[in-house]
């Protein structure tokens, strides 16, 4: 309990092992039984898709990410909420929620930093939402999906979440669903 997986793909999905079942249809929060625990989860419309909307390709992401500054206490001071389109389902349910995006700038490193902080903030808000609904407190996070490859971002997220964050052994976003299917 307290172990989690964040899938950083086009959207951001959270799964947390909890001693307590948590379901909240208004936020799209659901639980799956795993032995004597629950896998509690939710998914945000915010995610890495926004990076493509700003024309970041894999090479530029790798090059710029190596130059990201990892603050002791990173925060989303610009209030970026990195949606590509209007509407959010988790950690807030608001079909009219508008994207809050940084101005496109020639400073690509600064732009990338703001977008990654925004996604990390959505992740942290999501885990706080699960805790506020009664789920077990977050203790550690494994990362799957395309965003799992970015070590500098992992360090930013680790500091923002306040728990250890590591790359999952298998970073394919569908791996967890396959494991669950095998357990049935």
């Amino acid at each position: 309990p307290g172990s989690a997986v964040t899938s950083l793909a086009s959207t951001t999905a959270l799964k947390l092992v909890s001693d307590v079942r948590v379901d909240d249809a208004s936020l799209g929060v659901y639980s799956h039984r795993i032995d004597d625990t629950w896998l509690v989860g939710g998914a945000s419309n915010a995610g890495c898709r926004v990076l493509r909307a700003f024309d970041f390709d894999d090479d530029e992401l790798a090059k710029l990410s190596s130059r990201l500054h990892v603050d002791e206490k990173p925060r989303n001071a610009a209030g970026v909420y990195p949606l590509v389109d209007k509407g959010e389902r988790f950690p807030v349910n608001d079909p009219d929620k508008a994207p809050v995006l940084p101005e496109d700038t020639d400073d690509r490193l600064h732009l990338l930093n703001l977008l990654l902080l925004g996604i990390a903030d959505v992740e942290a808000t999501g885990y706080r939402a699960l805790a506020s609904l009664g789920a077990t407190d977050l203790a550690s996070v494994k990362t799957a999906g395309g965003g799992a490859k970015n070590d500098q971002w992992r360090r930013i997220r680790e500091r923002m979440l306040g728990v250890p964050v590591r790359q999952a052994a298998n970073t394919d976003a569908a791996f967890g669903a396959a494991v669950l299917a095998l357990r049935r």
Side-chain angles (χ1 to χ4, degrees):
S3 297
V5 174
T6 298
S7 176
L8 296 171
S10 59
T11 61
T12 303
L14 312 180
K15 307 279 191 227
L16 171 70
V17 178
S18 176
D19 288 322
V20 178
R21 178 182 179 149
V22 176
D23 293 292
D24 186 334
S26 71
L27 291 176
V29 173
Y30 53 89
S31 293
H32 297 285
R33 187 85 170 144
I34 297 182
D35 300 324
D36 294 331
T37 61
W38 296 94
L39 187 61
V40 179
S44 171
N45 291 335
C48 296
R49 182 174 149 206
V50 75
L51 301 173
R52 299 300 188 212
F54 280 88
D55 297 322
F56 285 100
D57 63 29
D58 291 346
D59 290 338
E60 184 181 24
L61 286 170
K63 185 170 86 173
L64 291 177
S65 292
S66 69
R67 295 176 38 213
L68 286 171
H69 178 71
V70 181
D71 292 328
E72 194 61 35
K73 293 189 178 191
R75 62 188 191 92
N76 182 14
V80 171
Y81 205 98
L83 296 168
V84 173
D85 299 308
K86 180 175 84 166
E88 178 61 297
R89 53 194 167 151
F90 174 82
V92 296
N93 182 1
D94 182 355
D96 296 318
K97 183 157 186 66
V100 179
L101 299 171
E103 302 244 348
D104 203 351
T105 173
D106 289 336
D107 186 346
R108 301 287 285 170
L109 179 61
H110 181 67
L111 178 61
L112 177 61
N113 188 59
L114 291 174
L115 292 170
L116 294 180
L117 284 171
I119 298 168
D121 192 33
V122 169
E123 177 186 21
T125 302
Y127 283 118
R128 285 193 304 272
L130 294 177
S132 75
L133 293 169
T136 299
D137 288 337
L138 183 66
S140 65
V141 175
K142 299 278 180 152
T143 307
K149 300 173 199 162
N150 191 323
D151 191 56
Q152 287 294 90
W153 189 22
R154 179 200 59 78
R155 292 175 55 218
I156 290 168
R157 294 172 42 241
E158 183 171 67
R159 291 201 172 118
M160 193 175 276
L161 291 167
V163 300
V165 175
R166 301 290 176 257
Q167 185 173 349
N170 186 319
T171 61
D172 187 322
F175 182 76
V179 169
L180 284 175
L182 285 172
R183 295 179 71 107
R184 296 276 170 190

